[in-house]
Amino acid sequence: MAENLTTVVSSATKTVEINRSNPTVIIGERINPTGRKAVLASFAAGDYEIARTDALAQVAAGAHMLDVNAGVPGADEPALLTEVLRTVMATTDVPLCIDTADPEALAAALSIYTGKALVNSCNGEERSLNAVLPVVKEYGAAVIGLCMDDDGIPETAEARLRVAGKIIERAGKLGIPVADVVIDPLALTMGADAAAGKLALDSIELIVKEFGVNITMGASNISFGMPDRALINSTFIAMAIHAGLTCPITNPLVPAVTTAILAADLSMGNDSFGMRWIKEYRKRQKAAQQAS
């Protein structure tokens, strides 16, 4: 079993340490125009108020970091991403995850970011490795490595492990520490493949055992197309935390998800004397009384 590594990310004033011995770090997913027509229309019109509102709501709900994506089709992404990023940085002090597939937009965003960002993302494709990793190194960021390569998304946990190893190796050759590579084994929808959840969990276990790196994933993907998504997502995330997930990208505004994460942390021994669970229980009780 490899040593559990610590990935450190920061804003100008706040540092987050991601490690399997710490409580799970929630990365809020909602500042993203993909699948959200209101965000898409707002960003396309140059109005970033929705990003400010989403940032505040997610942090209030328990997000420790925020993913920021400004992928509007046809837009000047470097300019748009930097404006959205400035808005979020002015709104909250949590560290940010800069989410773009455009190396130019990534460099522009990192050039204005204060602190150590997490980059979402790189993958095992040669084009991605060559374009993204040098930018990550230049700005001293941490990076998410997706377990896919030029042959597509591997269909076995062992093959995803190999892609993770390739990304870690290539990052290392550029001087990026292995602790700064967070691996995403990929959560695909169980609505299309009933084995997708187990494959993701098996992949997490293999990667953690081999490398000890921190693990993320777009956890909400697992339930796409299924009914009662919140129940599926909360159960899957709790199981994934047991397997080694440390920083899921998810929606903290879904109470079932955040409560499942708290319960998983308590069950894994990462909530001393259950104090976080008790604190959040009292908040839930107070909110219920106020609503009645």
Side-chain angles (χ1 to χ4, degrees):
M1 175 74 77
E3 176 189 359
N4 286 327
L5 301 175
T6 300
T7 305
V8 178
V9 292
S10 64
S11 65
T13 59
K14 182 170 289 186
T15 296
V16 171
E17 294 187 357
I18 308 170
N19 182 283
R20 223 155 268 108
S21 297
N22 296 341
T24 302
V25 171
I26 299 173
I27 305 176
E29 70 180 8
R30 289 180 57 78
I31 305 175
N32 189 332
T34 304
R36 295 189 66 203
K37 292 181 180 179
V39 179
L40 182 63
S42 178
F43 285 4
D47 179 1
Y48 312 121
E49 178 63 19
I50 195 168
R52 191 186 75 82
T53 302
D54 275 342
L56 290 172
Q58 290 183 100
V59 172
H64 308 96
M65 297 177 61
L66 298 176
D67 187 82
V68 178
N69 182 302
V72 175
D76 179 349
E77 189 173 352
L80 180 57
L81 181 58
T82 54
E83 287 305 309
V84 176
L85 200 64
R86 283 192 178 100
T87 298
V88 178
M89 287 192 296
T91 301
T92 179
D93 64 350
V94 301
L96 302 181
C97 181
I98 299 174
D99 187 349
T100 178
D102 182 335
E104 184 181 348
L106 175 61
L110 286 171
S111 72
I112 68 161
Y113 185 75
T114 306
K116 180 180 178 182
L118 178 60
V119 170
N120 185 11
S121 58
C122 179
N123 62 53
E125 296 174 357
E126 287 299 319
R127 174 192 57 79
S128 179
L129 293 167
N130 293 330
V132 176
L133 290 181
V135 181
V136 170
K137 173 59 179 176
E138 178 181 356
Y139 289 96
V143 63
I144 294 172
L146 304 179
C147 289
M148 56 183 290
D149 59 13
D150 292 296
D151 295 323
I153 298 175
E155 296 182 354
T156 67
E158 291 76 15
R160 293 186 188 187
L161 172 67
R162 287 193 292 271
V163 176
K166 177 183 178 180
I167 296 169
I168 291 167
E169 179 184 16
R170 293 287 286 274
K173 287 181 177 179
L174 290 177
I176 300 170
V178 62
D180 282 345
V181 181
V182 177
I183 294 296
D184 182 346
L186 298 177
L188 304 181
T189 175
M190 295 188 294
D193 178 2
K198 185 176 187 305
L199 175 55
L201 296 173
D202 289 346
S203 299
I204 292 172
E205 290 180 349
L206 286 181
I207 293 164
V208 169
K209 182 177 181 181
E210 182 71 20
F211 300 112
V213 292
N214 285 295
I215 301 291
T216 188
M217 56 176 51
S220 302
N221 295 339
I222 203 73
S223 65
F224 187 77
M226 298 291 285
D228 275 345
R229 293 188 66 188
L231 296 178
I232 296 172
N233 292 346
S234 58
T235 301
F236 175 76
I237 287 178
M239 294 176 71
I241 289 170
H242 180 262
L245 176 70
T246 51
C247 49
I249 301 173
T250 190
N251 184 357
L253 303 184
V254 179
V257 169
T258 52
T259 304
I261 291 171
L262 287 166
D265 285 343
L266 177 61
S267 302
M268 294 293 292
N270 292 333
D271 181 3
S272 182
F273 298 103
M275 296 307 295
R276 292 173 70 245
W277 177 264
I278 294 168
K279 179 182 177 182
E280 293 302 318
Y281 168 77
R282 288 173 176 164
K283 284 174 62 176
R284 293 194 301 272
Q285 292 294 102
K286 183 178 180 179
Q289 289 171 0
Q290 291 174 341
S292 62

